[in-house]
Amino acid sequence: MTPVGSRDDVGGASPLKGRRCLVLGAGGFIGTNLCRRLQANGAVVQAFGRSQPLPGALGGGDWMTGDFTDHAAVARAVEGNEVIFHLISGSLPESSNKDPIADLSGSVVQTLHLLDIARASGVRKVVFASSGGTVYGIPQQVPIPESAPTNPIAAYGIGKLAIEKYLGLYRHLYGLDYAVLRVANPFGPYQTGRRKQGVIAALARRALDGLPLEIWGTGEVVRDFIYVDDVVSALVASATHDGSHKVFNVGQGEGRSINQIIADLRAILSDRTLDVIYKPGRATDVPVNVLDIGLIYREMGWRPLTSWSDGLRATIEWIRKSAP
Amino acid sequence: MTPVGSRDDVGGASPLKGRRCLVLGAGGFIGTNLCRRLQANGAVVQAFGRSQPLPGALGGGDWMTGDFTDHAAVARAVEGNEVIFHLISGSLPESSNKDPIADLSGSVVQTLHLLDIARASGVRKVVFASSGGTVYGIPQQVPIPESAPTNPIAAYGIGKLAIEKYLGLYRHLYGLDYAVLRVANPFGPYQTGRRKQGVIAALARRALDGLPLEIWGTGEVVRDFIYVDDVVSALVASATHDGSHKVFNVGQGEGRSINQIIADLRAILSDRTLDVIYKPGRATDVPVNVLDIGLIYREMGWRPLTSWSDGLRATIEWIRKSAP
């Protein structure tokens, strides 16, 4: 089986060439990368989001500014598309616990509206970016297989899990196909480090700005970091996957602590002194999260193709050159 | 270990004697039975519901009429109580699929409001009646253990599952203890057969009224029917259980088809001719559902103590004598 994890799917051979795809959350970090890849693959891309990404990030795709809660706008965006990539989250893991009701209303309820629109419009498949970092909660084993217990300690993860279940329901009731990708901690270009999402971008940004690095807790929490190019390849592959499995982990399958990341940043940015400020730990942080990525390899031939050090260097380079 | 499944816990020996308990959904089938038992056990019972149960069903308990969406009323009901029995559902399994958003808003969102009220009021424990018949979806094995995959084919079951997860979250964040009972198909007194819930009551009611029995599908779907007295014993036992397990199946652990039930009704009501009308099957009906009830026995010593035939005869007797 030829791995599909890298840029092999760019160009004329892509199964999505000429296919009409909608990307919801296209202005975000993963969304921007996905739109660029889909366009390179020759797909007909409709991009939808609250705000445009960085100028020039999206090429010739069709952009629509809209809010996920505006159902008429969502319906116009969905119209005529065969595949929907749903990358919108209503909140962040940490903030979700401050107001679980807002998280539920903003993500799950709106996604149910989307599913009703999608089934009425004849959409073939919904590819949903779930959260490999939060749906499992505190793991009983690592790496974590898809069959592990799901006991989130963040409302954000409960919302993602509920959406996974509703996707299964709509397939059962209406034949609307779907794929769920439980994505670990993605990093890479177009993650600006300005928002509260993306620890690597945030650390690299502060390092480049000459500011002390801020981390929550002892820095010993372990995460599964995956380069965004590989995440995008999994999204593209799952759009045309046709097996009975519908829920897949997407990660590097390797764990790294925050302190290890800081050590690697120090090695790459050896001309700088990086101070670290340790802040109190967060109740939403599980101690460890590393995903078992065997299923998606067996089902789709996907595996991550970008090494940790290549990904980290490319991320730093991008932030240095491109982020405003 | 002495089984606690029957009326052993009635009287002075009950660990809930003198304890302040709130029953939400007290006017319903399980709620009425639970309130009666709690009063017999000497608990101080606050009953809350949209409408009073049958006249005289509740003894000396304190009744409050209110809607679950009225948060001020719920807060008044919660005040001062140590244990909350949460038996309210926003919809029925079949109707939930017609409007999943209404189900989500009516049950999950309102339960999140309840949990916020409960943690602010110093409630010790929430005992939640989940749905053993819907949270698992189409089972890969029977009897179904608590660790089985949960892929509901009814929005009702997704809502129950989400509530289970939020209970886990609130325990993690705020120390609010809880127990989830995944109750199979309960039957018995105070299930009137007038509403759309409770196939046994509905069949017995029509049989006693001389009407043809109506069933969905071929009648070969298999369910785990459990007598309500045993369900109530599990609710009472879980209120004071103090182990690390929080989610328990509550069923008879035995499967019976609808056609078998009709055969048993024919045997008991042998002086009547029972005609059967077969209606189209429902998309929410899983083909089989039988629960593995080993965990709650190991953890609490609970097991069902009412035989199928005793329960069925008592149910028919109650409908004959009591239901208006």
Side-chain angles (χ1 to χ4, degrees):
Chain A
M1 190 150 34
T2 307
V4 296
S6 189
R7 274 55 62 196
D8 303 344
D9 55 341
V10 174
S14 167
L16 287 178
K17 185 174 183 182
R19 309 276 279 275
R20 296 175 60 94
C21 302
L22 169 64
V23 178
L24 296 172
F29 160 48
I30 296 177
T32 303
N33 283 278
L34 176 61
C35 286
R36 291 168 63 89
R37 177 79 64 84
L38 289 172
Q39 285 158 14
N41 283 2
V44 181
V45 182
Q46 171 69 64
F48 180 96
R50 260 191 313 211
S51 56
Q52 285 256 17
L54 299 177
L58 297 185
D62 195 3
W63 174 268
M64 184 187 293
T65 299
D67 197 280
F68 195 37
T69 60
D70 179 349
H71 306 145
V74 171
R76 284 195 303 277
V78 166
E79 190 60 39
N81 283 293
E82 189 180 339
V83 177
I84 298 176
F85 294 94
H86 175 13
L87 312 176
I88 294 177
S89 291
S91 64
L92 299 177
E94 180 68 11
S95 64
S96 71
N97 280 352
K98 293 182 187 132
D99 193 346
I101 295 169
D103 175 76
L104 186 63
S105 305
S107 69
V108 186
V109 172
Q110 302 309 328
T111 297
L112 280 168
H113 284 290
L114 169 68
L115 295 183
D116 282 333
I117 291 165
R119 71 184 180 90
S121 295
V123 167
R124 194 182 59 75
K125 189 161 192 171
V126 177
V127 178
F128 174 61
S130 183
S131 168
T134 64
V135 296
Y136 298 109
I138 298 167
Q140 294 171 359
Q141 61 178 121
V142 286
I144 311 169
E146 289 84 352
S147 57
T150 48
N151 295 307
I153 59 170
Y156 179 89
I158 299 174
K160 293 283 191 185
L161 199 57
I163 290 171
E164 294 185 3
K165 306 298 182 188
Y166 284 117
L167 285 164
L169 176 67
Y170 274 65
R171 180 165 182 267
H172 175 80
L173 294 176
Y174 309 113
L176 178 61
D177 198 13
Y178 75 102
V180 165
L181 299 192
R182 291 177 172 171
V183 180
N185 288 57
F187 71 102
Y190 300 100
Q191 193 173 38
T192 60
R194 296 276 187 216
R195 296 184 187 172
K196 287 191 172 176
Q197 228 169 355
V199 64
I200 290 177
L203 292 175
R205 154 72 56 195
R206 289 183 70 91
L208 291 170
D209 287 351
L211 297 169
L213 311 186
E214 294 181 335
I215 66 172
W216 285 272
T218 63
E220 287 304 309
V221 298
V222 168
R223 292 289 177 273
D224 183 338
F225 293 99
I226 179 165
Y227 193 63
V228 68
D229 274 8
D230 289 319
V231 175
V232 165
S233 294
L235 288 164
V236 170
S238 65
T240 53
H241 172 254
D242 198 24
S244 60
H245 285 282
K246 299 294 170 190
V247 179
F248 302 96
N249 285 338
V250 174
Q252 194 76 10
E254 298 168 7
R256 276 185 179 75
S257 73
I258 308 301
N259 290 331
Q260 282 175 293
I261 292 170
I262 292 172
D264 292 341
L265 282 173
R266 285 201 167 112
I268 293 173
L269 302 171
S270 55
D271 55 333
R272 295 162 188 262
T273 305
L274 304 188
D275 295 326
V276 177
I277 300 172
Y278 292 87
K279 306 178 91 174
R282 300 180 298 189
T284 40
D285 281 335
V286 296
V288 56
N289 180 273
V290 183
L291 302 183
D292 182 330
I293 54 174
L295 180 64
I296 188 168
Y297 180 69
R298 291 191 298 275
E299 285 286 314
M300 303 185 205
W302 178 93
R303 60 183 174 83
L305 294 178
T306 310
S307 74
W308 162 246
S309 61
D310 285 354
L312 185 59
R313 284 177 189 278
T315 302
I316 293 171
E317 251 346 88
W318 184 84
I319 290 178
R320 196 197 299 270
K321 287 186 184 165
S322 315
Chain B
M1 192 151 35
T2 309
V4 297
S6 189
R7 272 57 61 196
D8 304 343
D9 56 341
V10 174
S14 168
L16 287 178
K17 185 174 183 183
R19 309 276 278 273
R20 295 174 62 94
C21 302
L22 169 64
V23 178
L24 296 172
F29 160 47
I30 296 177
T32 303
N33 282 278
L34 175 61
C35 286
R36 291 167 64 88
R37 178 79 64 84
L38 289 172
Q39 285 158 13
N41 283 2
V44 181
V45 183
Q46 171 70 62
F48 180 95
R50 258 191 316 213
S51 55
Q52 286 257 18
L54 301 176
L58 297 186
D62 195 2
W63 174 267
M64 183 187 294
T65 298
D67 196 281
F68 195 37
T69 61
D70 180 349
H71 306 145
V74 171
R76 284 195 302 278
V78 166
E79 188 61 40
N81 283 293
E82 187 181 341
V83 177
I84 297 176
F85 294 94
H86 175 13
L87 312 176
I88 293 177
S89 292
S91 65
L92 299 178
E94 179 69 10
S95 65
S96 71
N97 280 352
K98 292 181 188 137
D99 193 346
I101 296 170
D103 175 76
L104 186 62
S105 306
S107 70
V108 186
V109 172
Q110 302 310 326
T111 297
L112 280 169
H113 283 291
L114 169 68
L115 295 183
D116 282 332
I117 292 166
R119 72 183 178 92
S121 296
V123 167
R124 194 181 59 75
K125 189 160 192 172
V126 176
V127 178
F128 174 60
S130 182
S131 167
T134 64
V135 295
Y136 296 110
I138 298 167
Q140 293 172 359
Q141 61 177 121
V142 285
I144 310 169
E146 288 85 352
S147 57
T150 48
N151 295 307
I153 59 170
Y156 179 90
I158 298 175
K160 293 283 192 185
L161 199 57
I163 291 171
E164 294 185 4
K165 306 297 182 187
Y166 284 117
L167 284 164
L169 176 67
Y170 274 64
R171 180 164 183 268
H172 174 79
L173 294 176
Y174 309 112
L176 178 62
D177 197 14
Y178 73 103
V180 164
L181 299 191
R182 291 177 170 171
V183 180
N185 288 57
F187 71 101
Y190 299 101
Q191 193 172 39
T192 61
R194 293 280 188 214
R195 298 183 186 175
K196 285 191 172 177
Q197 228 168 355
V199 64
I200 290 177
L203 292 173
R205 152 74 54 195
R206 289 184 69 91
L208 291 170
D209 287 353
L211 296 169
L213 311 187
E214 293 181 335
I215 65 173
W216 285 273
T218 62
E220 287 305 309
V221 298
V222 168
R223 292 289 177 274
D224 183 338
F225 294 98
I226 178 165
Y227 193 63
V228 68
D229 275 8
D230 289 318
V231 175
V232 165
S233 295
L235 288 164
V236 169
S238 65
T240 53
H241 171 254
D242 198 24
S244 60
H245 286 282
K246 298 295 170 190
V247 179
F248 302 96
N249 285 336
V250 174
Q252 194 77 11
E254 299 169 4
R256 277 188 178 72
S257 73
I258 309 299
N259 289 332
Q260 282 175 295
I261 292 170
I262 291 172
D264 291 341
L265 281 172
R266 284 200 167 110
I268 293 173
L269 303 170
S270 55
D271 55 332
R272 295 162 187 261
T273 304
L274 303 188
D275 294 326
V276 177
I277 299 173
Y278 291 88
K279 307 178 92 175
R282 300 180 297 189
T284 42
D285 281 335
V286 296
V288 56
N289 179 274
V290 183
L291 302 183
D292 181 330
I293 53 173
L295 180 64
I296 189 169
Y297 181 69
R298 292 191 298 275
E299 285 285 313
M300 305 185 204
W302 177 92
R303 60 185 174 82
L305 294 177
T306 311
S307 74
W308 162 246
S309 61
D310 283 356
L312 184 60
R313 284 177 188 279
T315 302
I316 294 171
E317 250 346 89
W318 183 85
I319 291 177
R320 195 197 301 269
K321 286 187 182 163
S322 313

